[in-house]
Coordinates of all heavy atoms in Angstrom, one line a residue:
N1 N 84.9 95.0 117.3 CA 84.7 94.3 118.5 C 85.5 93.0 118.5 O 85.4 92.2 117.6 CB 83.2 94.0 118.7 CG 82.4 95.2 118.9 OD1 82.8 96.2 119.5 ND2 81.2 95.1 118.4
I2 N 86.4 92.9 119.5 CA 87.3 91.8 119.6 C 86.8 90.9 120.7 O 86.8 91.4 121.9 CB 88.8 92.2 119.8 CG1 89.2 93.1 118.6 CG2 89.7 91.0 120.0 CD1 90.5 93.8 118.8
E3 N 86.4 89.7 120.4 CA 85.8 88.8 121.4 C 86.6 87.5 121.5 O 86.8 86.8 120.5 CB 84.4 88.5 121.1 CG 83.5 89.7 121.0 CD 82.1 89.4 120.5 OE1 81.9 88.3 120.2 OE2 81.3 90.4 120.4
P4 N 87.1 87.1 122.7 CA 87.8 85.8 122.8 C 86.8 84.7 122.8 O 85.8 84.8 123.4 CB 88.6 85.9 124.1 CG 87.8 86.9 124.9 CD 87.2 87.9 123.9
I5 N 87.1 83.6 122.1 CA 86.3 82.4 122.1 C 87.0 81.4 123.0 O 86.4 80.8 123.9 CB 86.1 81.9 120.7 CG1 85.3 82.9 119.9 CG2 85.4 80.5 120.7 CD1 85.1 82.5 118.4
T6 N 88.3 81.1 122.7 CA 89.1 80.3 123.5 C 90.4 81.1 123.8 O 90.5 82.3 123.4 CB 89.5 78.9 122.9 OG1 90.2 79.2 121.7 CG2 88.2 78.2 122.5
E7 N 91.4 80.4 124.4 CA 92.7 81.1 124.6 C 93.4 81.6 123.4 O 94.0 82.6 123.3 CB 93.6 80.3 125.5 CG 93.2 80.1 126.9 CD 94.1 79.2 127.7 OE1 95.2 78.9 127.1 OE2 93.8 78.8 128.8
Q8 N 93.3 80.8 122.3 CA 94.0 81.1 121.1 C 93.1 81.5 119.9 O 93.5 81.8 118.9 CB 94.8 79.9 120.6 CG 95.9 79.6 121.6 CD 97.0 80.7 121.6 OE1 97.3 81.3 120.6 NE2 97.5 80.9 122.8
L9 N 91.8 81.4 120.1 CA 90.8 81.8 119.0 C 90.0 83.0 119.4 O 89.5 83.1 120.5 CB 89.8 80.6 118.8 CG 88.9 80.8 117.6 CD1 89.6 80.9 116.3 CD2 87.9 79.6 117.6
T10 N 90.1 84.0 118.5 CA 89.4 85.3 118.7 C 88.6 85.7 117.5 O 89.0 85.4 116.4 CB 90.5 86.4 119.0 OG1 91.4 85.9 120.0 CG2 89.9 87.7 119.4
T11 N 87.4 86.3 117.8 CA 86.6 86.8 116.7 C 86.6 88.3 116.6 O 86.6 89.0 117.7 CB 85.1 86.3 117.0 OG1 85.1 84.9 117.1 CG2 84.2 86.8 115.9
L12 N 86.7 88.8 115.4 CA 86.8 90.2 115.1 C 85.5 90.6 114.4 O 85.3 90.0 113.3 CB 88.0 90.6 114.3 CG 88.1 92.0 113.9 CD1 88.4 92.9 115.1 CD2 89.2 92.2 112.9
T13 N 84.6 91.4 114.9 CA 83.4 91.9 114.3 C 83.6 93.3 113.8 O 84.0 94.2 114.6 CB 82.2 91.8 115.3 OG1 82.1 90.5 115.8 CG2 80.9 92.1 114.6
I14 N 83.3 93.5 112.5 CA 83.6 94.8 111.9 C 82.2 95.5 111.6 O 81.4 94.9 110.9 CB 84.4 94.7 110.6 CG1 85.7 94.1 111.0 CG2 84.6 96.1 110.0 CD1 86.6 93.8 109.7
N15 N 81.9 96.6 112.1 CA 80.7 97.4 111.8 C 81.1 98.7 111.1 O 82.0 99.4 111.7 CB 79.9 97.7 113.1 CG 79.4 96.5 113.7 OD1 78.9 95.6 113.1 ND2 79.4 96.5 115.1
L16 N 80.5 99.0 110.0 CA 80.8 100.2 109.3 C 79.5 101.0 109.1 O 78.5 100.5 108.9 CB 81.3 99.9 107.8 CG 82.8 99.5 107.7 CD1 83.0 99.0 106.3 CD2 83.7 100.6 108.1
K17 N 79.7 102.3 109.3 CA 78.6 103.3 109.1 C 79.1 104.5 108.3 O 80.2 104.9 108.5 CB 78.0 103.7 110.4 CG 77.4 102.6 111.3 CD 76.9 103.2 112.6 CE 76.4 102.0 113.4 NZ 76.0 102.5 114.7
T18 N 78.2 104.9 107.4 CA 78.5 106.2 106.7 C 77.6 107.3 107.3 O 76.5 107.0 107.8 CB 78.3 106.0 105.2 OG1 76.9 105.6 105.0 CG2 79.2 105.0 104.6
K19 N 78.1 108.5 107.1 CA 77.3 109.6 107.7 C 76.0 109.8 106.9 O 75.0 110.1 107.5 CB 78.2 110.9 107.7 CG 77.6 112.0 108.4 CD 78.6 113.1 108.6 CE 78.0 114.2 109.5 NZ 78.9 115.2 109.8
N20 N 76.1 109.8 105.6 CA 75.0 109.9 104.7 C 74.8 108.6 103.9 O 75.4 108.5 102.9 CB 75.1 111.1 103.8 CG 75.3 112.4 104.5 OD1 74.6 112.6 105.5 ND2 76.1 113.3 104.0
P21 N 74.0 107.7 104.4 CA 73.8 106.4 103.6 C 73.2 106.6 102.2 O 72.2 107.3 102.1 CB 72.9 105.6 104.5 CG 72.4 106.5 105.6 CD 73.1 107.8 105.5
S22 N 73.9 106.0 101.3 CA 73.4 105.9 99.9 C 74.1 104.7 99.3 O 75.0 104.2 99.9 CB 73.7 107.2 99.1 OG 75.1 107.3 98.9
K23 N 73.6 104.4 98.1 CA 74.2 103.2 97.5 C 75.7 103.4 97.2 O 76.5 102.5 97.4 CB 73.5 102.9 96.2 CG 73.9 101.6 95.6 CD 73.0 101.2 94.4 CE 73.4 99.8 93.9 NZ 72.5 99.3 92.9
M24 N 76.1 104.6 96.7 CA 77.4 104.9 96.4 C 78.3 104.9 97.6 O 79.4 104.3 97.6 CB 77.6 106.2 95.7 CG 78.9 106.6 95.2 SD 78.9 108.1 94.3 CE 80.4 108.8 94.7
N25 N 77.8 105.5 98.7 CA 78.5 105.5 100.0 C 78.7 104.1 100.5 O 79.7 103.8 101.1 CB 77.9 106.4 101.0 CG 78.0 107.8 100.6 OD1 78.7 108.2 99.7 ND2 77.2 108.7 101.3
D26 N 77.7 103.2 100.4 CA 77.8 101.9 100.9 C 78.8 101.1 100.1 O 79.6 100.3 100.7 CB 76.4 101.2 100.8 CG 75.4 101.7 101.8 OD1 75.8 102.3 102.7 OD2 74.2 101.5 101.6
Q27 N 78.9 101.3 98.8 CA 79.9 100.6 98.0 C 81.3 101.1 98.4 O 82.3 100.3 98.5 CB 79.7 100.9 96.5 CG 78.5 100.2 95.9 CD 78.2 100.6 94.5 OE1 78.8 101.5 94.0 NE2 77.2 99.9 93.9
Y28 N 81.5 102.4 98.6 CA 82.7 102.9 99.1 C 83.1 102.4 100.4 O 84.3 102.0 100.7 CB 82.6 104.5 99.2 CG 83.9 105.1 99.7 CD1 85.1 105.1 99.0 CD2 83.8 105.8 100.9 CE1 86.2 105.7 99.5 CE2 84.9 106.4 101.4 CZ 86.1 106.4 100.7 OH 87.2 107.0 101.3
A29 N 82.1 102.2 101.3 CA 82.4 101.6 102.7 C 82.8 100.2 102.5 O 83.7 99.7 103.2 CB 81.1 101.7 103.5
R30 N 82.2 99.4 101.6 CA 82.6 98.0 101.4 C 84.1 98.0 100.9 O 84.8 97.1 101.3 CB 81.7 97.3 100.5 CG 80.4 96.9 101.2 CD 79.6 95.9 100.3 NE 78.2 96.3 100.4 CZ 77.5 96.9 99.5 NH1 78.0 97.1 98.3 NH2 76.2 97.2 99.8
S31 N 84.4 98.9 100.0 CA 85.8 98.9 99.5 C 86.8 99.2 100.6 O 87.9 98.7 100.7 CB 86.0 99.8 98.3 OG 85.9 101.1 98.7
I32 N 86.4 100.2 101.5 CA 87.3 100.5 102.6 C 87.4 99.3 103.6 O 88.5 99.0 104.1 CB 86.7 101.7 103.4 CG1 86.7 103.0 102.5 CG2 87.3 101.9 104.7 CD1 88.1 103.5 102.3
E33 N 86.3 98.6 103.8 CA 86.4 97.4 104.7 C 87.3 96.3 104.1 O 88.1 95.7 104.8 CB 85.0 96.9 104.9 CG 85.0 95.7 105.8 CD 83.6 95.2 106.0 OE1 82.6 95.8 105.5 OE2 83.4 94.2 106.7
D34 N 87.2 96.1 102.8 CA 88.0 95.1 102.1 C 89.5 95.5 102.2 O 90.3 94.6 102.4 CB 87.6 94.9 100.6 CG 86.2 94.3 100.5 OD1 85.8 93.6 101.4 OD2 85.6 94.4 99.4
D35 N 89.8 96.8 102.0 CA 91.2 97.2 102.1 C 91.7 97.1 103.5 O 92.9 96.7 103.7 CB 91.3 98.7 101.6 CG 91.0 98.9 100.2 OD1 91.1 97.9 99.4 OD2 90.7 100.1 99.8
F36 N 90.9 97.4 104.5 CA 91.3 97.2 105.9 C 91.6 95.7 106.2 O 92.6 95.4 106.8 CB 90.3 97.8 106.8 CG 90.5 97.4 108.3 CD1 91.6 97.9 108.9 CD2 89.8 96.4 108.9 CE1 91.9 97.6 110.2 CE2 90.0 96.1 110.2 CZ 91.1 96.7 110.9
I37 N 90.7 94.8 105.7 CA 90.9 93.4 106.0 C 92.2 92.9 105.3 O 92.9 92.1 105.9 CB 89.7 92.6 105.5 CG1 88.5 92.9 106.4 CG2 89.9 91.1 105.6 CD1 87.2 92.4 105.9
N38 N 92.4 93.3 104.1 CA 93.7 92.9 103.4 C 94.9 93.4 104.2 O 95.9 92.7 104.3 CB 93.7 93.4 102.0 CG 92.7 92.7 101.1 OD1 92.3 91.6 101.4 ND2 92.3 93.4 100.0
T39 N 94.8 94.7 104.7 CA 95.9 95.2 105.4 C 96.1 94.5 106.8 O 97.2 94.2 107.2 CB 95.7 96.7 105.7 OG1 95.5 97.4 104.5 CG2 96.9 97.4 106.4
L40 N 95.0 94.1 107.4 CA 95.1 93.3 108.6 C 95.8 92.0 108.4 O 96.6 91.6 109.2 CB 93.7 93.2 109.2 CG 93.5 92.5 110.5 CD1 94.2 93.3 111.6 CD2 92.1 92.2 110.9

């Protein structure tokens, strides 16, 4: 979700969901999110 705050300041909200939630899937999702943020 990309939301403008001012003309030059923007907030990016990231929501991740796994199809079958479990501790291992949540850790994998966090690593995917970290990789995406680094790429961004």
Side-chain angles (χ1 to χ4, degrees):
N1 292 326
I2 300 169
E3 302 170 0
I5 296 175
T6 63
E7 289 181 9
Q8 294 296 322
L9 184 63
T10 306
T11 300
L12 176 70
T13 306
I14 302 173
N15 293 321
L16 283 173
K17 294 179 185 175
T18 57
K19 191 169 186 176
N20 299 323
S22 70
K23 188 172 183 175
M24 185 174 146
N25 290 347
D26 290 342
Q27 290 173 351
Y28 176 66
R30 279 192 222 109
S31 71
I32 292 290
E33 182 179 357
D34 291 340
D35 292 342
F36 169 71
I37 292 169
N38 289 337
T39 304
L40 184 64

